[in-house]
Amino acid sequence: MTPAVAPTVFVIDDDALVRAAIQGMLKSVGLSSETFASPQEFLRSKRPDGPSCLVLDVRLPGVNGLDFQRKLADEGIRIPVIFITGHGDIPMTVKAMKSGAVEFLTKPFRDQDLLDAIHQALDRDRVMRQQHSELAELRNRYESLTARERQVMGLVVSGMLNKQIAFDLGTSEITVKIQRGHVMHKMQADSLAELVRMAAKLELPAGKK
């Protein structure tokens, strides 16, 4: 088994003193971090593939932190964001939180407040990564089904009985029972309810042939 990758906190702030202070604070509690003076620098970097979060200054030269948060989402970079700013206001805070930010801290903030937000963000990222991994595994199982088994699965999760599926597909009830068994085995589903939940996670159109 590959050992778990240690979490990394990324910090983007154009103030070198702020970057150094946050990095020092994170090091004191055993957290790895990487700092950047600009979003462009962050995007050019090769980032470790493990739990992470982003501490992002709202006001940066040439780019607004809120716009950069949206750019990350548009590019498929899913990373929990913690905003820090010296000029916060309520509309800005509301916009950031609605866009999925974990926290919005106004400078000067307490180290503990930032640490609490970082731990919350890292926990959120771990959960998202676990869910992504489980969904990828589920898709692999679904891909292992034959075209007919996928048809049978779609009809099974729509609530149809074996004899109804057999009639619909123009085959025998025994054949459907065997194919249904293959579906349950390949999908590693212990019950119909579990198979239905799997289909929902895969967003399969139930009953579609």
Side-chain angles (χ1 to χ4, degrees):
M1 291 288 289
T2 304
V5 179
T8 305
V9 180
F10 301 109
V11 182
I12 303 178
D13 197 301
D14 61 322
D15 188 326
L17 292 177
V18 172
R19 295 198 303 273
I22 293 176
Q23 191 163 40
M25 183 265 292
L26 293 172
K27 186 177 180 180
S28 73
V29 295
L31 281 172
S32 297
S33 63
E34 293 181 18
T35 64
F36 307 91
S38 69
Q40 293 77 17
E41 201 178 304
F42 170 77
L43 290 174
R44 286 194 300 267
S45 69
K46 182 172 174 58
R47 299 176 294 279
D49 185 23
S52 61
C53 68
L54 176 61
V55 178
L56 177 63
D57 192 5
V58 172
R59 299 184 189 277
L60 295 162
V63 65
N64 178 290
L66 295 171
D67 292 338
F68 183 61
Q69 179 191 27
R70 187 163 55 249
K71 177 180 172 65
L72 289 175
D74 290 345
E75 293 188 5
I77 301 174
R78 307 294 175 192
I79 181 170
V81 176
I82 299 157
F83 281 109
I84 56 175
T85 181
H87 313 279
D89 56 45
I90 291 174
M92 189 185 291
T93 304
V94 170
K95 185 177 179 182
M97 301 306 279
K98 278 187 174 180
S99 296
V102 175
E103 187 57 275
F104 193 102
L105 300 173
T106 303
K107 303 172 186 175
F109 46 77
R110 295 188 314 130
D111 285 356
Q112 192 58 51
D113 289 340
L114 179 57
L115 276 176
D116 288 346
I118 285 171
H119 285 301
Q120 182 184 344
L122 291 175
D123 286 343
R124 181 187 291 187
D125 197 47
R126 286 188 189 95
V127 170
M128 284 194 301
R129 285 170 177 273
Q130 180 65 27
Q131 290 174 342
H132 180 78
S133 175
E134 289 173 358
L135 185 56
E137 170 60 25
L138 209 53
R139 286 197 180 113
N140 285 339
R141 292 181 206 167
Y142 185 70
E143 290 298 321
S144 75
L145 300 181
T146 65
R148 177 46 65 93
E149 286 166 355
R150 289 179 197 174
Q151 286 181 309
V152 169
M153 178 173 169
L155 297 171
V156 166
V157 299
S158 74
M160 291 176 68
L161 301 174
N162 287 351
K163 62 182 179 182
Q164 294 171 316
I165 296 172
F167 178 79
D168 198 74
L169 297 180
T171 187
S172 70
E173 192 174 342
I174 292 294
T175 299
V176 169
K177 189 173 181 180
I178 292 170
Q179 290 167 337
R180 182 171 177 158
H182 289 164
V183 168
M184 298 295 285
H185 176 71
K186 289 183 180 180
M187 293 301 295
Q188 298 178 31
D190 295 327
S191 65
L192 173 58
E194 190 176 1
L195 192 68
V196 170
R197 285 194 294 271
M198 289 177 176
K201 286 180 181 178
L202 290 167
E203 298 181 344
L204 300 182
K208 185 176 180 180
K209 294 192 285 179

